[in-house]
Amino acid sequence: MARRREARPLEEHYGDLVRVALMEARPSGLQTRQLITATSLTKSQVERGIRHLRDVGAAEHLTPIIWRRRDGYLFSDDPADWIEYEKKQFRLILGRLTRMITGTLDPHLARCPDDEWAQLASAQLTGVRATLAQLTK
């Protein structure tokens, strides 16, 4: 726990540097390598800064950071951009969840069909999977 507290000021500093670089690039975005150059941070420091901005942005209701292949990271004021990014994130989560179900939970149930925990997990995750599928449309 103490280690995390020590890292906070650094994450805030990295986040400030990334925020300034993205604000200067607005309305364009910056790829990770461009953020590294603009901020003189390492890749992991840039990533920590982005995570910090996402945490702070959510908490302070600031413009969210999105990522697009062609533009990299950027601040967008267009809700359509936010929705596009959110749907992509839900697709990633859905893919990971589906692989977990088909690769781990389904074989578990096949070998131990009476396992209460596996039945509960399967029932709950079926609902989550359906919800995520709807959110990606």
Side-chain angles (χ1 to χ4, degrees), residues 3-130:
R3 183 176 183 212
R4 196 163 183 88
R5 287 184 190 152
E6 290 173 21
R8 270 207 170 138
L10 282 178
E11 289 171 1
E12 185 175 342
H13 175 69
Y14 301 154
D16 288 343
L17 292 174
V18 169
R19 184 184 53 76
V20 167
L22 290 174
M23 293 300 287
E24 289 176 355
R26 257 181 125 163
S28 299
L30 294 173
Q31 298 290 342
T32 302
R33 69 185 184 289
Q34 293 171 314
L35 278 170
I36 291 167
T37 301
T39 61
S40 300
L41 297 173
T42 66
K43 182 178 178 186
S44 67
Q45 291 169 332
V46 166
E47 291 167 351
R48 287 170 64 186
I50 290 167
R51 280 193 306 270
H52 178 76
L53 283 177
R54 284 193 170 137
D55 292 345
V56 170
E60 295 181 2
H61 307 290
L62 301 174
T63 304
I65 295 176
I66 63 169
W67 184 87
R68 290 193 291 227
R69 181 175 290 216
R70 71 176 184 268
D71 301 314
Y73 292 99
L74 67 139
F75 291 113
S76 173
D77 290 320
D78 186 353
D81 290 339
W82 307 340
I83 292 168
E84 177 187 346
Y85 177 76
E86 291 160 355
K87 285 183 176 185
K88 287 180 183 177
Q89 294 303 304
F90 288 133
R91 275 187 217 105
L92 289 171
I93 295 166
L94 177 60
R96 291 185 69 182
L97 178 62
T98 299
R99 285 189 300 277
M100 191 278 181
I101 291 169
T102 60
T104 305
L105 190 56
D106 287 349
H108 179 166
L109 279 169
R111 291 188 71 187
C112 306
D114 296 329
D115 186 320
E116 288 183 37
W117 187 92
Q119 290 173 356
L120 173 64
S122 179
Q124 294 296 315
L125 292 178
T126 297
V128 172
R129 190 177 183 183

